[in-house]
Amino acid sequence: MTYKNEIERLFKAHYGQLYQLANSLLHDDDFARDIVHEVFASLLDGNPDVLVTGGYLVKAVRNRCINHIRDCEIHQRIAYRYFLDNKEYDTDDWPDDETIARIYHHIRNNISPQARRVIELRFAEGLPFARIAATMGISETAVYRHLSNALKIIRKKLNENG
């Protein structure tokens, strides 16, 4: 039996259970289907010598769902922080996907590596300034300055581009 046939057998045997798991975690049919399909696609691209079991598949789907949820939360935190500090903010108009993509673009391309790390620790991991300072080996004042400057740059770049 070939590796591809084995993956197909696993897909037929476990798809329903994996889809239900993903859907119960994400509450979104489309994302649940996508995540289960991504897991099986990664198996086809992966090492054929790896033993794949039902338990492995459940963990892979669960981990991808958790990563998706985490990414959505990061996305929301950054957007929330940006609009809290923006004086021209209209409370009825949350950022769209394009605006959030632009924020990520500016973080990657216009912010120093140290400031990017501060943003990641603050928004992705939700750490307070004191823990960020301890983690990075800098003062809390430096953490505040990096974060403040990064947010100013992001706001400026977004305002320049409309």
Side-chain angles (χ1 to χ4, degrees):
M1 182 178 278
T2 67
Y3 184 67
K4 187 175 180 181
N5 291 341
E6 180 63 19
I7 298 299
E8 184 177 347
R9 185 190 66 73
L10 286 168
F11 181 85
K12 289 176 181 177
H14 297 283
Y15 179 82
Q17 174 192 10
L18 297 173
Y19 168 76
Q20 286 179 342
L21 170 65
N23 197 28
S24 70
L25 291 171
L26 300 175
H27 305 288
D28 186 311
D29 292 339
D30 293 331
F31 279 122
R33 274 199 253 352
D34 288 348
I35 284 181
V36 173
H37 287 265
E38 285 173 11
V39 167
F40 282 100
S42 70
L43 290 176
L44 289 172
D45 295 336
N47 183 354
D49 297 330
V50 174
L51 177 64
V52 178
T53 63
Y56 172 87
L57 294 170
V58 168
K59 284 183 180 180
V61 167
R62 180 193 59 136
N63 289 343
R64 284 187 189 245
C65 288
I66 290 170
N67 288 344
H68 175 73
I69 291 166
R70 183 202 63 220
D71 291 344
C72 288
E73 288 174 355
I74 291 168
H75 194 86
Q76 289 171 338
R77 283 188 207 144
I78 289 173
Y80 178 72
R81 176 63 186 189
Y82 168 75
F83 284 100
L84 260 183
D85 288 344
N86 190 346
K87 304 299 184 226
E88 300 168 8
Y89 173 59
D90 178 6
T91 57
D92 295 331
D93 188 21
W94 281 100
D96 58 4
D97 290 338
E98 180 184 332
T99 302
I100 293 172
R102 288 181 14 225
I103 290 170
Y104 281 122
H105 170 78
H106 293 305
I107 289 171
R108 282 191 306 273
N109 298 315
N110 299 315
I111 307 297
S112 71
Q114 197 165 21
R116 272 196 305 270
R117 181 74 176 134
V118 169
I119 288 173
E120 176 185 315
L121 292 172
R122 179 70 179 142
F123 295 114
E125 297 183 27
L127 296 180
F129 285 13
R131 294 256 327 266
I132 296 170
T135 301
M136 294 182 65
I138 59 177
S139 71
E140 287 184 51
T141 304
V143 170
Y144 175 79
R145 285 185 185 144
H146 283 299
L147 188 58
S148 178
N149 288 336
L151 292 173
K152 283 178 189 174
I153 291 169
I154 293 167
R155 273 189 226 96
K156 180 182 174 197
K157 293 290 185 181
L158 289 175
N159 288 333
E160 285 175 2
N161 299 330

